[in-house]
Amino acid sequence: MVETSEARLKRMRMRSWRRGTKEMDLILGPWADETLASLDEATLTLYDALLEENDQDLYLWVSAALPCPEVYAELLATIAHFARSRHLNVRA
């Protein structure tokens, strides 16, 4: 059965919010809610692959504690910027 665009976005949002670590839930969940519907096909495919990565690795990559694989560099920079901006707005 072919996954519809709507079902794909719903699945990806759910996987963004239910990562396994609260830190990654709070980083990826809001970003997915705000951004997924506006992404092009190539970025959605890349994000879908990113969702397969281990949370411990993702956290180190998005926090810049460790360099990330080059394929994810631009996407993770965007996600990290979103998370930092959101955190600053919540604290203000």
Side-chain angles (χ1 to χ4, degrees):
M1 182 183 216
V2 176
E3 185 177 42
T4 66
S5 295
E6 183 179 311
R8 181 184 191 195
L9 291 176
K10 183 177 179 178
R11 173 184 56 78
M12 292 171 75
R13 275 193 303 274
M14 185 181 78
R15 292 203 57 219
S16 298
W17 276 105
R18 295 193 174 104
R19 295 296 310 160
T21 65
K22 191 55 139 178
E23 294 85 356
M24 289 312 301
D25 292 351
L26 294 173
I27 291 170
L28 295 181
W31 184 84
D33 285 350
E34 180 111 2
T35 337
L36 282 183
S38 66
L39 297 179
D40 61 36
E41 179 59 33
T43 307
L44 283 172
T45 299
L46 183 62
Y47 185 67
D48 216 1
L50 183 76
L51 290 173
E52 296 296 323
E53 298 289 348
N54 179 298
D55 272 8
Q56 288 75 20
D57 293 333
L58 279 174
Y59 185 76
L60 293 173
W61 297 339
V62 80
S63 66
L66 283 178
C68 70
E70 186 61 34
V71 67
Y72 297 132
E74 187 176 333
L75 179 58
L76 283 173
T78 300
I79 293 169
H81 176 74
F82 177 89
R84 279 191 304 276
S85 297
R86 186 173 173 273
H87 179 70
L88 292 173
N89 288 335
V90 169
R91 294 179 75 185

